[in-house]
Amino acid sequence: MHNKSLSELSAALHNSEISSVELTQHYLNRINQHNGTLNAFITVTEERALEQAKAADKLLAEKKAGALTGIPLAHKDIFCTKGIRTSCGSKMLDKFIAPYDATVVEKIDQAGMVTLGKTNMDEFAMGSSNETSWYGPVKNPWDTDRVPGGSSGGSAAAMAARLAPIATGTDTGGSIRQPSSLCNLTGLKPTYGRISRYGMIAFASSLDQAGPMANSAEDAAWLMNVMSGFDEKDSTSVDRDVPDYTASLNDSLEGLTIGLPKEYFGEGLDPRVAATVEAAIKTYEKMGATLKEITLPNTGLAVPTYYVVAPAECSSNLSRMDGVRFGHRAEDPKDLMDLYTRSRGEGFGEEVKRRIMIGTYALSAGYYDAYYLKAQQCRRLISNDFQEAFKEVDVIMGPTATNPAFRFGEKTDDPVAMYLEDIYTINTNLAGLPGMSIPAGFVNNLPVGLQIIGNYFDEARLLNIGHRYQQETDWHQRIPETFK
């Protein structure tokens, strides 16, 4: 049952071949069996899940159910869920019980889906390996000595091990796409503003975007239909009609022009990954697409620009976590300053503290123009590069990550090496563009992802391009031996 697509599960539920309670219990049993090994879930909401499943079965019996009614799902623990702990992978919010649902959670609940629990993540979404979580690292199901990627590593590991049929993630600099690449998933970061950020705990407000993490482009399209849309509670949400993302999945790729940025295939890319990605791109050529080399000349500015903008915004967003309004509160403070310093010192981990310090410095008097303002100007140059490229090509393809999954501890002592993990994904966040990673093959039994970048609101085209590739290949259907 756990190897079926969402459309197959939906058909089984609507044809009464299985009940939502039975399906939910099946996944809960798998979580109980494997989560001790993987550490993919922070919170498992078994009681609530079975209640939601019973309600879904009632709707199914009355023929009032939607396409996704009764299908279980895992939420990254960054989305507020009413009455359930929302920790963001941090000691700071370990005891925080959200008083309301995030819009994404609300939409998914309204679709009749069943929440299995909240998945582990890098603390406040800061990390590329899921090693910064206060709840311990998440293991990659393909090799439990290696990282699953981050920050949505819990959702990625849960999906790869088939502990859930689909999951939500968030992407600030690659946090859906990079773990999808490392765990053999299809992960989509939509256009900035396509999905509401209301109730999604903020890391960097101008970069954060929610999206689906799925076993296929088709499954991602099903969840995009539910997650997307304007939200008046989010001032950055875009008021634009939502298409049926499943409608164009089978469209022909004849005449598609694919841009290959020379900057994405140069120094720093594992040659085995390059060969795997190039072979995947050749498949598109056989399907009628044309390949064209392009240049994105300001790619080299992406990492330094991101690591000024994102820490600056995070230092502002996390200032509310002070032991008074939100978060961990130090015991027996001597005075207000002691309360602030000890609450934040005890509540935040090392990587979060590092980024708060960088961001506060970049925003401080005398440095704002030199750092934050300059970074925003570089951001415009990066965005302009993409717009120039899209005058010549329909989509851009390249690797998602520089390498397959690396071992635990391999990059934790070198923050810059860890930051470079996102070198191919950061640009799309800075430009606000949609990007997707799909399974493209393996290197030494470790997954490799192909990244596809589109122009604004081109999610339907990306899903179509991913789906057509998955009709020609079976990489996305492969499952780690231990979890079959």
Side-chain angles (χ1 to χ4, degrees):
M1 192 55 68
H2 51 272
N3 294 330
K4 292 186 182 294
S5 68
L6 292 193
S7 60
E8 290 170 333
L9 291 176
S10 181
L13 288 165
H14 281 81
N15 295 331
S16 302
E17 294 166 20
I18 190 171
S19 70
S20 179
V21 168
E22 290 169 332
L23 183 61
T24 300
Q25 192 61 63
H26 173 75
Y27 280 105
L28 289 169
N29 291 344
R30 285 186 66 79
I31 293 168
N32 290 333
Q33 181 184 356
H34 296 297
N35 195 51
T37 302
L38 298 174
N39 197 27
F41 282 83
I42 291 172
T43 304
V44 180
T45 54
E46 186 165 351
E47 194 176 311
R48 173 174 164 154
L50 292 170
E51 282 174 12
Q52 287 181 317
K54 284 175 189 170
D57 281 334
K58 188 169 183 291
L59 290 172
L60 286 158
E62 295 169 355
K63 307 295 183 189
K64 295 178 181 175
L68 294 178
T69 300
I71 294 178
L73 163 139
H75 278 301
K76 183 176 180 179
D77 200 17
I78 197 168
F79 295 100
C80 287
T81 41
K82 188 175 181 179
I84 299 170
R85 174 173 59 177
T86 301
S87 73
C88 243
S90 178
K91 179 181 179 181
M92 181 61 82
L93 292 180
D94 179 51
K95 294 182 173 63
F96 175 61
I97 306 297
Y100 68 98
D101 282 328
T103 298
V104 163
V105 173
E106 199 173 83
K107 282 174 172 277
I108 286 169
D109 284 353
Q110 286 168 357
M113 297 186 79
V114 175
T115 299
L116 295 167
K118 310 289 290 294
T119 57
N120 206 341
M121 56 180 284
D122 278 303
E123 185 180 9
F124 285 103
M126 299 180 202
S128 304
S129 64
N130 224 131
E131 292 175 281
T132 70
S133 170
W134 188 64
Y135 301 93
V138 176
K139 311 286 179 66
N140 189 323
W142 289 95
D143 180 346
T144 53
D145 291 329
R146 294 176 186 268
V147 304
S151 64
S152 308
S155 287
M159 289 297 303
R162 302 303 193 264
L163 307 188
I166 194 151
T168 58
T170 63
D171 194 309
T172 305
S175 290
I176 286 174
R177 290 161 291 153
Q178 185 251 14
S180 292
S181 176
L182 271 49
C183 289
N184 205 48
L185 303 176
T186 298
L188 173 65
K189 180 212 97 69
T191 304
Y192 183 77
R194 175 80 285 185
I195 293 174
S196 173
R197 293 188 304 108
Y198 180 75
M200 189 177 98
I201 295 172
F203 162 17
S205 302
S206 72
L207 301 166
D208 299 341
Q209 187 56 214
M213 301 180 75
N215 292 319
S216 68
E218 181 186 11
D219 285 0
W222 277 57
L223 193 60
M224 277 294 290
N225 281 348
V226 171
M227 294 176 76
S228 305
F230 175 67
D231 180 13
E232 62 184 13
K233 290 180 283 191
D234 173 9
S235 62
T236 60
S237 174
V238 177
D239 191 358
R240 184 179 173 125
D241 288 343
V242 178
D244 177 357
Y245 290 105
T246 62
S248 55
L249 285 174
N250 292 306
D251 286 2
S252 170
L253 301 187
E254 200 70 44
L256 181 77
T257 305
I258 297 170
L260 306 177
K262 62 181 184 181
E263 293 83 2
Y264 284 27
F265 293 91
E267 189 182 347
L269 177 62
D270 184 321
R272 301 167 303 168
V273 171
T276 306
V277 167
E278 284 163 6
I281 292 168
K282 287 287 182 191
T283 304
Y284 281 106
E285 203 169 23
K286 291 175 191 167
M287 294 164 70
T290 304
L291 308 183
K292 182 181 177 70
E293 186 180 89
I294 60 168
T295 181
L296 298 171
N298 290 296
T299 296
L301 297 176
V303 172
T305 298
Y306 178 88
Y307 281 100
V308 171
V309 174
E313 294 183 9
C314 106
S315 77
S316 174
N317 281 322
L318 297 191
S319 63
R320 73 194 74 174
M321 314 285 177
D322 58 7
V324 177
R325 293 167 291 180
F326 291 98
H328 169 76
R329 186 182 180 95
E331 290 184 15
D332 302 321
K334 296 173 189 170
D335 53 34
L336 188 61
M337 186 57 72
D338 185 47
L339 171 65
Y340 286 159
T341 53
R342 281 204 294 121
S343 295
R344 288 169 67 81
E346 293 165 10
F348 290 135
E350 291 305 309
E351 182 58 32
V352 174
K353 289 176 185 173
R354 180 182 291 117
R355 297 199 195 191
I356 289 172
M357 292 290 284
I358 292 168
T360 305
Y361 180 81
L363 292 176
S364 59
Y367 293 102
Y368 179 92
D369 287 356
Y371 291 104
Y372 188 71
L373 187 62
K374 183 62 70 178
Q376 293 289 22
Q377 290 167 343
C378 291
R379 185 176 184 173
R380 171 55 62 189
L381 295 177
I382 290 165
S383 180
N384 290 346
D385 284 352
F386 280 109
Q387 291 314 304
E388 284 302 308
F390 284 127
K391 290 176 183 175
E392 300 179 20
V393 301
D394 299 311
V395 293
I396 294 167
M397 289 189 186
T400 306
T402 55
N403 43 254
F406 49 92
R407 294 187 182 278
F408 287 104
E410 202 172 304
K411 303 191 180 190
T412 45
D413 292 335
D414 186 352
V416 175
M418 189 71 84
Y419 295 167
L420 289 170
E421 271 298 299
D422 297 327
I423 192 166
Y424 301 131
T425 53
I426 280 172
N427 274 346
T428 55
N429 297 83
L430 290 168
L433 294 166
M436 182 169 75
S437 181
I438 60 172
F442 288 79
V443 168
N444 295 340
N445 203 39
L446 295 171
V448 171
L450 167 70
Q451 184 174 206
I452 312 168
I453 301 166
N455 212 338
Y456 298 113
F457 300 100
D458 256 359
E459 291 82 5
R461 175 178 268 180
L462 296 188
L463 291 162
N464 158 233
I465 292 167
H467 179 66
R468 291 307 303 269
Y469 178 78
Q470 290 171 350
Q471 290 176 320
E472 300 291 321
T473 62
D474 69 348
W475 303 119
H476 65 291
Q477 294 173 343
R478 304 199 183 185
I479 305 169
E481 198 63 41
T482 314
F483 302 96
K484 283 185 176 175

